[in-house]
Amino acid sequence: MSALLPQHFAVTEAVVVAAGAFAMARTARINAWWAVGIAPFMLAALVGTIRISAGLAGEFELAHQFLSRAGAVFGLGCMIGVMAGRARWLAPVLGGAAGILAVLIPGAMVPTFLALTLVGAWLAYRAADRQARLVAASFTVLLIGRLATDPLRAAHPALAWHLFHLAVALWLLLLAIIVIPRLRAR
């Protein structure tokens, strides 16, 4: 997307901000690293909302892209570290390693995102009891949203933008309502 966007693009960014704030508030009480993992998604949307609403470009656009890409893999790494539950230091180390990898080797960002999402779904499935499929499927909504909207980006960029951001918001809500509470017992 280019620097100056129509104002309606800020609407679904704001929806992600609201969903992210709710998810962070709900998960911070369970494990602070869950909230830290969610933060880049919410912050990217907040920067996007401000950038689009105020008609800003340049540094705001770069901050939005950085948080949306490198921040996302950092956040997923933190979440996977919490879900693995082996040691307290695993979440920041895995998140940091994923974020650094995404910055130093930009071509590794998509495979890292895919791998972290699939590992997260697998860990969610293993950790959940009676509703394991629902929990694992809920964790993959972000990936499903990405895969479903990528083909639309060239022909229908506005539709792809809005659908992807609504998928991110749904994913954040599902994390807070379905995934994380069912993993809480770990």
Side-chain angles (χ1 to χ4, degrees), residues 1 12-13 15-16 41 44-45 64 67-69 72 76 113 140-153 156-172:
M1 290 266 116
T12 49
E13 291 277 15
V15 171
V16 175
F41 296 92
H64 181 254
L67 287 166
S68 296
R69 295 177 183 148
L76 284 169
F113 172 81
T140 63
V141 167
L142 179 65
L143 178 61
I144 293 166
R146 177 68 194 249
L147 293 174
T149 59
D150 273 358
L152 298 173
R153 291 184 193 275
H156 306 286
L159 179 61
W161 175 281
H162 292 306
L163 288 177
F164 177 70
H165 286 96
L166 290 174
V168 172
L170 175 62
W171 177 72
L172 290 168

Side-chain angles (χ1 to χ4, degrees), residues 16-29 38 42 172-173 176-177:
V16 175
V17 172
F22 170 77
M24 286 179 66
R26 185 160 174 152
T27 59
R29 293 176 276 150
I38 292 168
M42 193 272 301
L172 290 168
L173 292 173
I177 295 168

